[in-house]
């Protein structure tokens, strides 16, 4: 009994220390800056029409500011939440809601609702990863649901921009199953790669990933397929360190890209517009030209929040949100956002390197790989570094499927960090005894 009491006292003391460290000055500063940005941005929008006050903007401000502050500064006291990860995530989501509202109030309000729902999903996911001991049943269920979800667009979806990857849900709107199936892919790869080190033993996860890729190819959602494929390669190398097979996999990816170019007309169009969008400035090259003009017209410091002509870009709220942000708030702010992503990934690396078990490490590695690959692909596509892939920018692009999926990944990182903290507390207790 005395030993149990000492153990509980030690755990409680270490948790209090962890909470104290979590509430550091840098995290508090980020949370307050986010709240200030949301307040000033939405008040500016509310007052931009002389003689009238936009009540929706004020209401949105009164919702977003408390949500960000509570989830960053108060939530870690009751749930396993890494406050630096949470603060950076809230900053990105806050920028998304404010910018979207300046262009389209309807999109801004819906994005705020998706953000609130995403916080709930994040909390649940962090608890699952933190507390669950056995993941076999959950992994098998996720694999089955993943295949079913990817089959839905093929059965019920409609072609849009050369792809068939969306379905309409009555009362909710458009839904992209491949966004949520990312979680299934990460979980399956981490589970089978952590417990089995030979290619044959890894085969269930590889077959599942291959099935997902085939279904995405049938949907012609090649951008998401590339994210899945590269994430699989990263996890495969992290799990077994087999350089020849990893290089072979990279070669297979290059071959698949060439095959996709030869098979799909819209891929040829995107490559052609990447090489020279001015060859068809009023049609096929219109979007990328308008995005580049928006980034250029914003200059270093932007034309001002709510200013500019983002509506000139047809997909300004999805694929080209980064161009809109650079136009309104400048290229320096755009670089700041990229820096936030870098710090977020580096903090995630810190969390997963503390993991005691390979499953947790690979699970976190999958999350970080997917987020970083997707961010690079969309930013590089918007600035014409690579052909445009049509994927969303994590946390910033409009859409419930994308935002909830990204928030669930953040929940996974929180859960991994909580497991590592528990292991640290056990080590401290063992040393004391």
């Amino acid at each position: 009994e005395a030993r149990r009491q000492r153990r509980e006292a030690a755990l409680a003391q270490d948790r209090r220390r962890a909470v104290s460290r979590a509430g550091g000055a840098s995290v508090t500063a980020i949370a307050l800056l986010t709240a200030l940005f949301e307040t000033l941005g939405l008040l500016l929008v509310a007052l931009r029409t002389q003689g009238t006050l936009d009540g929706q903007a004020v209401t949105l401000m009164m919702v977003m500011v408390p949500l960000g502050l509570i989830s960053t500064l108060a939530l870690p006291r009751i749930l396993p939440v890494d406050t630096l990860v949470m603060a950076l995530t809230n900053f990105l989501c806050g920028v998304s809601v404010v910018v979207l509202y300046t262009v389209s109030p309807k999109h801004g309000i819906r994005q705020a609702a998706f953000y609130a729902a995403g916080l709930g999903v994040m909390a649940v996911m962090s608890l699952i990863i933190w507390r669950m001991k056995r993941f076999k049943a959950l992994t098998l269920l996720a694999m089955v649901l993943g295949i079913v979800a990817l089959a839905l667009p093929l059965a019920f979806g409609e072609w849009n921009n050369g792809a068939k990857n969306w379905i309409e849900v009555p009362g909710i709107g458009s839904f992209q199953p491949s966004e949520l199936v990312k979680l299934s892919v990460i979980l399956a790869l981490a589970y089978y790669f952590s417990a089995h080190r030979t290619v044959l033993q890894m085969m269930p996860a590889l077959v599942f990933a291959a099935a997902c890729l085939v279904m995405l190819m049938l949907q012609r959602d090649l951008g998401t397929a590339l994210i899945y494929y590269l994430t699989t390669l990263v996890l495969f190398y992290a799990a077994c360190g087999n350089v020849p097979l990893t290089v072979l996999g990279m070669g297979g990816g290059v071959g698949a890209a060439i095959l996709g170019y030869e098979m799909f007309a819209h891929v040829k169009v995107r490559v052609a517009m990447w090489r020279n969008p001015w060859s068809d400035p009023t049609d096929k090259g219109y979007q990328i030209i308008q995005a580049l003009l928006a980034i250029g017209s914003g200059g270093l410091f932007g034309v001002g929040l709510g200013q500019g002509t983002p509506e000139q870009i047809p997909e300004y709220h999805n694929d080209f949100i980064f161009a809109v942000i650079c136009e309104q708030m400048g290229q320096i702010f755009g670089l700041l956002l990229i820096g936030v992503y870098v710090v977020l990934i580096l903090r995630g690396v810190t969390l997963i390197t503390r993991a005691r078990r390979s499953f947790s490490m690979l699970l976190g590695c999958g999350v970080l790989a997917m987020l970083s690959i997707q961010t690079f692909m969309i930013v590089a596509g918007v600035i014409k570094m690579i052909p445009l892939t049509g994927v969303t920018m994590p946390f910033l692009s409009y859409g419930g499927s994308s935002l909830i999926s990204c928030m669930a990944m953040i929940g996974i990182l929180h859960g991994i960090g909580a497991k590592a903290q528990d292991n640290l507390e056990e080590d401290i207790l063992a040393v004391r005894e």
Side-chain angles (χ1 to χ4, degrees):
E1 180 65 23
R3 181 178 179 181
R4 183 184 64 81
Q5 291 178 351
R6 289 197 306 272
R7 176 183 175 84
E8 290 177 352
L11 292 177
Q13 183 180 15
D14 289 326
R15 286 197 178 97
R16 286 194 295 271
R17 290 175 178 171
V19 170
S20 177
R21 291 193 299 269
S26 59
V27 169
T28 303
I30 295 172
L32 292 178
L33 286 173
T34 302
L36 181 63
F37 175 83
E38 293 168 346
T39 301
L40 295 179
L42 291 172
L43 281 179
L44 179 64
V45 175
L47 298 171
R48 64 183 172 184
T49 303
Q50 292 184 354
T52 62
L53 178 67
D54 187 347
Q56 279 188 333
V58 175
T59 302
L60 186 60
M61 177 195 71
M62 296 175 65
V63 171
M64 287 295 297
V65 172
L67 273 179
L69 291 175
I70 291 172
S71 59
T72 301
L73 303 178
L75 190 62
R77 298 180 180 274
I78 58 176
L79 287 177
V81 172
D82 183 87
T83 50
L84 181 56
V85 170
M86 194 71 256
L88 297 173
T89 301
N90 282 334
F91 176 76
L92 293 172
C93 292
V95 171
S96 172
V97 170
V98 172
V99 172
L100 285 171
Y101 189 88
T102 64
V103 184
S104 170
K106 179 183 71 173
H107 285 145
I109 291 172
R110 285 181 62 85
Q111 187 75 348
F114 295 144
Y115 166 63
L119 286 175
V121 171
M122 179 203 72
V124 172
M125 188 63 67
S126 66
L127 288 173
I128 291 174
I129 300 301
W130 181 33
R131 289 301 190 186
M132 186 172 286
K133 304 298 183 183
R134 300 288 184 269
F135 286 87
K136 182 176 182 179
L138 180 62
T139 302
L140 294 175
L141 177 63
M143 293 168 68
V144 172
L145 292 179
I147 294 297
V148 172
L150 287 180
L152 292 177
L154 294 174
F156 305 105
E158 296 182 357
W159 293 104
N160 184 25
N161 294 326
K164 192 178 183 182
N165 54 351
W166 292 85
I167 59 173
E168 287 288 334
V169 180
I172 298 179
S174 298
F175 170 69
Q176 190 174 3
S178 61
E179 286 291 336
L180 299 184
V181 177
K182 291 176 181 177
L183 303 175
S184 300
V185 172
I186 294 172
L187 181 60
L189 293 174
Y191 178 78
Y192 283 100
F193 286 7
S194 63
H196 309 90
R197 297 303 184 187
T198 68
V199 175
L200 184 61
Q201 291 172 328
M202 294 177 174
M203 197 55 67
L206 293 174
V207 169
F208 172 67
C212 291
L213 289 174
V214 169
M215 300 184 79
L216 289 172
M217 293 290 285
L218 293 175
Q219 297 174 19
R220 300 186 184 180
D221 188 0
L222 304 186
T224 304
L226 181 59
I227 295 173
Y228 281 30
Y229 188 81
L230 292 178
T231 301
T232 302
L233 274 183
V234 170
L235 284 183
F236 178 80
Y237 179 74
C240 65
N242 192 316
V243 176
L245 286 180
T246 303
V247 172
L248 183 62
M250 294 173 64
V254 173
I258 296 174
L259 181 62
Y261 176 82
E262 295 296 335
M263 290 178 58
F264 303 123
H266 73 286
V267 176
K268 292 183 178 180
V269 170
R270 289 184 176 181
V271 173
M273 293 305 101
W274 167 61
R275 296 178 63 186
N276 182 18
W278 294 100
S279 63
D280 191 3
T282 60
D283 188 13
K284 304 300 183 182
Y286 180 77
Q287 281 202 120
I288 188 63
I289 289 174
Q290 292 301 319
L292 293 173
L293 290 175
I295 295 173
S297 64
L300 292 177
F301 303 103
V303 298
L305 191 63
Q307 304 302 311
T309 56
E311 300 89 347
Q312 296 294 321
I313 309 173
E315 296 295 329
Y316 68 88
H317 56 292
N318 289 327
D319 300 359
F320 291 93
I321 187 67
F322 184 71
V324 175
I325 292 172
C326 288
E327 180 184 27
Q328 293 192 1
M329 288 178 285
Q331 297 162 9
I332 292 178
F333 192 85
L335 291 174
L336 171 65
L337 287 181
I338 295 175
V340 170
Y341 281 103
V342 172
V343 175
L344 179 61
I345 296 301
L346 291 177
R347 178 58 181 173
V349 170
T350 300
L351 293 178
I352 67 173
T353 53
R354 296 174 180 171
R356 188 75 63 83
R357 296 184 176 180
S358 59
F359 170 74
S360 296
M361 186 275 292
L362 290 173
L363 192 64
C365 186
V367 167
L368 297 178
M370 197 159 278
L371 289 176
S372 56
I373 290 168
Q374 184 169 336
T375 302
F376 170 79
M377 284 173 56
I378 188 59
V379 172
V382 169
I383 64 175
K384 212 172 84 66
M385 181 185 295
I386 63 173
L388 191 66
T389 53
V391 298
T392 58
M393 191 165 183
F395 308 107
L396 288 177
S397 292
Y398 170 77
S401 308
S402 175
L403 184 54
I404 289 176
S405 171
C406 291
M407 294 299 284
M409 293 185 199
I410 294 298
I412 291 175
L413 290 180
H414 289 323
I416 293 170
K419 276 183 178 291
Q421 180 64 31
D422 285 348
N423 292 333
L424 175 61
E425 292 169 355
E426 291 173 1
D427 290 344
I428 293 173
L429 184 62
V431 170
R432 289 174 178 171
E433 293 179 350

